[in-house]
Amino acid sequence: MKILFGIYFIFLHLINISKSTTPNILIFLVDDLGYGDLGCYGNSTINSPHIDSLARDGATYTQMYSAASICTPSRAGFLTGRYPIRLGLTSNTNQFRTFYSPAQPGGLPHDETTMAEIAQQLGYRTGLVGKWHIGLGRDGEHLPTRHGFHTFFGMPVTNVQTCGNKKVYNLIGGHGEVLERSYFSYWITLRGKIWLAIICIILVTWLIYSRKLAFIILVLGIIGFFGGMWYSLSFTLLSRSSCLLYRNETIIEQPVHLQDLTLRNTNEAIKFMKETIQIHKKPFFLYMAYVKVHTALFTLPENVGRSRHGAYGDNIEELDWSVGEIIQALKTLDIENDTLILFSSDNGPFLERGIEAGFCGRVLTTSGKLSEPLRGAKGQTWECGIRVPGIIRWPGHVIPGQTIESISSLLDFYPSLLNLWNVQSIQDRPLDGVSLWSQLKLNPEMFTSSLTTNIQKERDTLFHYCGSTITAVRQGKYKAHYWTPKWDEGLRACPSDIICPCLSIQHSPPLLFDIETDPAEESPLDIQNYSNILSMMDAAVQKHKATLIPVPNQLETLALPWLFPCCNAQGWTRIIRLITNSCQC
């Protein structure tokens, strides 16, 4: 199948693809960036002049939505143009909503086709710098280099607190106070109900049935307690050894050194562009997937304290510096007008991190008033968890200064590229995105009419998944919530659970909002007056579900210790390092 697929695209490349339809593709995807974290989206306390210039010189989306509200499914959906449920990369269990360990065997299925694979077949040199988080697998079988990228420099899983050598901590109050505590106490708290149940069983067994059996249960409980803690500290993201830095398929740092990582990533991106243009003489497809601003936060020493918004603002401003360096490299290489840029975020801000989290942002309503901050956070399908910044810039092609208010999704960039490249999608793989070109004001002298004709003008419905369940549906200006999370008291987040579970409160009938007049989702509409809207939404859900084909779940697997990557270690040396959690280089 892959061989035929390759021949098909080479054929298209030779016959149909002209130089004008193969611009360089540069994707800036930030991690956990809030809708309200940039100057071009209304932030007045954080300076982001370079990103703001992308908005000024291109098109800014006010209703761009992520493919999911959390990292792994969102990134998979973006790269394939398909809802993550179709890829087996969703779960309703909090532990398995993303890849929580580099030792899990799953990953993006190989029968899926990423936009990088298509670009590669069309003659692009493809590179990924930064965060992957769509699987590592056995012997690196799910690394980016196995999914269409010629080069990879970055982290295969994700950056977490332990990567910054920090203790586990959570927001504990409405003002964002942070509590640092040992993992031992955290482990007791996290599994408190289980330990309490075991203690009760031991006491009842001791008093009523058998002291010998009670002692056996006690021993097994102690083994389970400390064994589980060792397993978690050694083979999940709670281990610093899971903070990996790869070059292609080789580990070059374990654990990763965070402080200057953005600087190194920026240099790698610029080096990739220069080599592609000057040595390989090809167009490039560069996926710059920033590790920022996922916690643990990190900046160069000279950037500490530069923002009025604390450590989080420092991170945004260092991010903006990086974007500026890469844009300057485009100018130096004289390819700025030949480069199509997309800037966005994988999901909303991680509010459970309190003072280290971003801002949900406010939105202008149809009456011209500024709304309250958007509701929810990362991991939720309230607006704050899924509405993200979206900017497209292509000098000379996309008319600058546009504001696009149409409902758009990161699922849409994939079919937009297919449309640009005159490539048909694979017929047995329905795409869930809609080409963005019809929404944009384009320079008519630079495009053929085929780019904006015979394509779907507007999407009918956008389905918002939380885990494996449709929890919200958007049709036109209306949005219905079928499930919502239960927040911790006084908060719009769930620090007691690390992140909000998907299915806490079911609404039957659903909560219905007019997003154009109430983007903050503060005032539900009277359902009795909108029965026709709900009927259309229900029909759309049933039609969509009929297109879903069951696939193996890639996320709901335990970390397998023997799959844990350990650099420069083989045989008994590897086993000892895995047992002692001492993999490093």
Side-chain angles (χ1 to χ4, degrees):
M1 179 65 182
K2 285 287 185 181
I3 294 175
L4 293 175
F5 173 76
I7 294 173
Y8 168 69
F9 278 110
I10 291 173
F11 180 73
L12 283 176
H13 178 53
L14 293 174
I15 296 180
N16 294 326
I17 305 301
S18 67
K19 185 176 179 180
S20 64
T21 61
T22 54
N24 302 303
I25 307 298
L26 174 55
I27 298 167
F28 293 114
L29 190 71
V30 189
D31 197 350
D32 292 359
L33 181 70
Y35 184 82
D37 287 335
L38 303 172
C40 52
Y41 280 88
N43 194 295
S44 60
T45 62
I46 299 175
N47 293 319
S48 53
H50 299 296
I51 300 171
D52 295 348
S53 74
L54 294 179
R56 184 175 60 251
D57 298 337
T60 303
Y61 287 79
T62 62
Q63 294 196 77
M64 178 67 75
Y65 291 95
S66 58
S69 63
I70 200 166
C71 305
T72 294
S74 175
R75 291 164 185 270
F78 169 66
L79 285 175
T80 62
R82 285 158 54 82
Y83 284 116
I85 187 72
R86 301 189 191 277
L87 315 175
L89 287 168
T90 58
S91 175
N92 284 342
T93 304
N94 255 17
Q95 177 186 356
F96 296 113
R97 290 177 66 187
T98 66
F99 284 109
Y100 72 94
S101 168
Q104 288 175 269
L108 180 64
H110 286 288
D111 59 355
E112 295 293 335
T113 304
T114 68
M115 59 177 75
E117 288 179 282
I118 297 176
Q120 196 175 72
Q121 295 292 344
L122 295 178
Y124 281 81
R125 185 167 181 252
T126 57
L128 168 55
V129 176
K131 172 177 170 176
W132 176 239
H133 209 186
I134 316 180
L136 200 160
R138 292 178 174 85
D139 301 319
E141 66 174 321
H142 290 297
L143 283 168
T145 47
R146 312 289 182 96
H147 287 284
F149 291 95
H150 287 109
T151 67
F152 170 49
F153 180 88
M155 299 181 69
V157 191
T158 190
N159 169 41
V160 290
Q161 295 300 310
T162 46
C163 299
N165 203 22
K166 296 184 179 182
K167 297 177 182 178
V168 175
Y169 66 93
N170 279 317
L171 179 151
I172 58 169
H175 300 288
E177 300 95 338
V178 170
L179 171 67
E180 293 194 358
R181 50 189 175 180
S182 69
Y183 183 72
F184 183 83
S185 64
Y186 178 74
W187 182 247
I188 293 175
T189 303
L190 188 65
R191 299 287 183 259
K193 293 181 180 179
I194 297 176
W195 311 136
L196 183 61
I198 291 174
I199 291 171
C200 290
I201 291 171
I202 291 171
L203 289 175
V204 171
T205 304
W206 180 279
L207 295 172
I208 297 177
Y209 188 66
S210 167
R211 292 185 177 185
K212 183 177 180 179
L213 180 58
F215 179 75
I216 293 173
I217 295 173
L218 175 62
V219 171
L220 292 175
I222 292 173
I223 293 173
F225 180 89
F226 288 101
M229 190 164 68
W230 166 78
Y231 173 87
S232 297
L233 286 172
S234 299
F235 304 116
T236 74
L237 293 179
L238 292 171
S239 166
R240 284 206 73 208
S241 295
S242 69
C243 304
L244 302 153
L245 184 66
Y246 272 68
R247 183 178 294 282
N248 297 325
E249 297 187 6
T250 302
I251 303 170
I252 60 174
E253 275 183 17
Q254 187 180 19
V256 66
H257 305 138
L258 281 180
Q259 191 176 66
D260 65 344
L261 185 58
T262 299
L263 173 63
R264 288 186 285 164
N265 283 344
T266 304
N267 291 337
E268 287 288 333
I270 294 173
K271 177 184 176 183
F272 172 83
M273 294 190 300
K274 286 182 177 179
E275 289 180 348
T276 305
I277 298 299
Q278 297 176 344
I279 299 175
H280 296 275
K281 309 294 184 183
K282 289 184 174 184
F284 63 74
F285 178 98
L286 175 58
Y287 178 29
M288 184 68 178
Y290 283 97
V291 175
K292 291 183 179 299
V293 282
H294 196 293
T295 56
L297 298 177
F298 59 94
T299 55
L300 291 167
E302 56 265 37
N303 289 330
V304 174
R306 65 180 291 174
S307 166
R308 291 180 290 158
H309 201 82
Y312 189 84
D314 295 345
N315 270 251
I316 297 291
E317 295 192 13
E318 186 171 274
L319 162 73
D320 183 76
W321 164 84
S322 172
V323 171
E325 291 295 297
I326 294 172
I327 293 174
Q328 181 57 48
L330 296 177
K331 295 177 180 177
T332 302
L333 292 168
D334 195 26
I335 55 173
E336 188 176 18
N337 292 348
D338 299 321
T339 303
L340 170 61
I341 296 177
L342 169 71
F343 179 96
S344 194
S345 175
D346 62 346
N347 46 248
F350 196 3
L351 294 191
E352 280 81 3
R353 291 306 178 208
I355 57 176
E356 293 199 352
F359 181 54
C360 288
R362 290 181 165 89
V363 179
L364 283 176
T365 66
T366 50
S367 63
K369 295 182 179 179
L370 204 60
S371 73
E372 292 298 310
L374 299 179
R375 216 170 197 196
K378 173 182 178 178
Q380 308 174 38
T381 50
W382 292 108
E383 286 291 286
C384 179
I386 51 177
R387 188 185 289 216
V388 293
I391 302 170
I392 289 180
R393 192 192 78 157
W394 190 4
H397 298 73
V398 174
I399 295 174
Q402 301 179 55
T403 299
I404 309 296
E405 298 178 348
S406 302
I407 301 168
S408 309
S409 169
L410 289 187
L411 295 167
D412 298 341
F413 199 58
Y414 188 106
S416 300
L417 286 179
L418 294 185
N419 194 215
L420 176 68
W421 292 330
N422 296 321
V423 172
Q424 297 295 318
S425 62
I426 304 300
Q427 295 301 313
D428 69 338
R429 298 294 162 107
L431 294 182
D432 297 302
V434 175
S435 178
L436 296 170
W437 295 112
S438 64
Q439 304 172 357
L440 292 163
K441 296 177 182 177
L442 305 173
N443 183 346
E445 297 179 2
M446 303 301 295
F447 292 96
T448 62
S449 60
S450 62
L451 188 63
T452 56
T453 58
N454 300 320
I455 58 176
Q456 187 176 339
K457 299 296 183 182
E458 296 284 348
R459 63 166 30 85
D460 296 324
T461 310
L462 187 60
F463 303 100
H464 298 304
Y465 278 87
C466 191
S468 304
T469 302
I470 296 174
T471 56
V473 172
R474 180 74 184 271
Q475 271 191 355
K477 66 179 183 176
Y478 297 107
K479 180 181 176 186
H481 285 272
Y482 298 89
W483 292 86
T484 55
K486 182 180 180 181
W487 298 326
D488 288 4
E489 187 176 356
L491 304 175
R492 293 191 173 189
C494 308
S496 60
D497 279 311
I498 301 179
I499 195 167
C500 288
C502 286
L503 309 176
S504 298
I505 305 172
Q506 185 174 17
H507 301 280
S508 183
L511 300 177
L512 186 66
F513 296 91
D514 182 336
I515 298 300
E516 291 184 0
T517 61
D518 182 23
E521 301 171 292
E522 295 287 347
S523 304
L525 300 172
D526 185 349
I527 293 294
Q528 293 182 350
N529 298 327
Y530 296 91
S531 58
N532 59 326
I533 299 296
L534 294 179
S535 295
M536 288 190 292
M537 288 183 173
D538 290 341
V541 169
Q542 295 307 313
K543 183 178 179 181
H544 167 67
K545 286 183 175 180
T547 71
L548 300 179
I549 300 173
V551 295
N553 193 286
Q554 302 293 317
L555 289 174
E556 294 175 346
T557 57
L558 293 175
L560 305 177
W562 53 91
L563 295 184
F564 195 89
C566 193
C567 63
N568 302 329
Q570 300 294 330
W572 282 105
T573 301
R574 172 180 166 81
I575 293 173
I576 292 171
R577 287 188 179 179
L578 289 176
I579 292 174
T580 58
N581 190 19
S582 57
C583 293
Q584 57 183 347
C585 59

